[in-house]
Amino acid sequence: MLGALAGPAPMMPGAVEGALLAGTVVFGVVGYATLVAASRLGEASVVAPFRYTRLAFALVVAAVIFGERPDAATLAGAALIALAGGYAMWREAGLRRARKPVDGLIRPS
């Protein structure tokens, strides 16, 4: 029933659209897989800033491509998330500096 309200019937993508769609899927999957691998293998204070760039990138894409303008609550929530992550990274860096190195290496406590 909702299909009748949706407008014209869906069409299969042509060769160019199919290739663009496949490229989008491949780049998306590879990007997400590398982000997950970096999160698992890398130090959180190094990887976290790249995770927060996704939030800013999503806001820019929504505004530029889709014409959406985030409201004050969305911007406040994004700022809260970024500030909380920044504080956590700052705090962990301070704690890491406060630990005394053993044999020149910082060992987990």
Side-chain angles (χ1 to χ4, degrees), residues 76-104:
L80 179 66
I81 291 169
L83 289 172
Y87 171 73
M89 289 185 291
W90 173 75
R91 183 177 173 273
E92 288 300 316
L95 290 174
R96 192 176 316 111
R97 280 192 300 268
R99 283 189 245 145
K100 303 237 188 243
V102 178
D103 298 332

Side-chain angles (χ1 to χ4, degrees), residues 18-87:
L20 290 172
L21 182 62
T24 301
V25 169
V26 167
F27 279 103
V29 168
V30 169
Y32 193 75
T34 55
L35 185 61
V36 169
S39 297
R40 292 182 63 184
L41 301 174
E43 187 175 332
S45 63
V46 175
V47 176
F50 295 102
R51 296 188 63 122
Y52 291 115
T53 59
R54 289 189 316 178
L55 182 62
F57 185 70
L59 288 171
V60 170
V61 167
V64 173
I65 294 178
F66 298 113
E68 296 178 0
R69 300 289 180 235
D71 59 357
T74 302
L75 293 174
L80 179 66
I81 291 169
L83 289 172
Y87 171 73

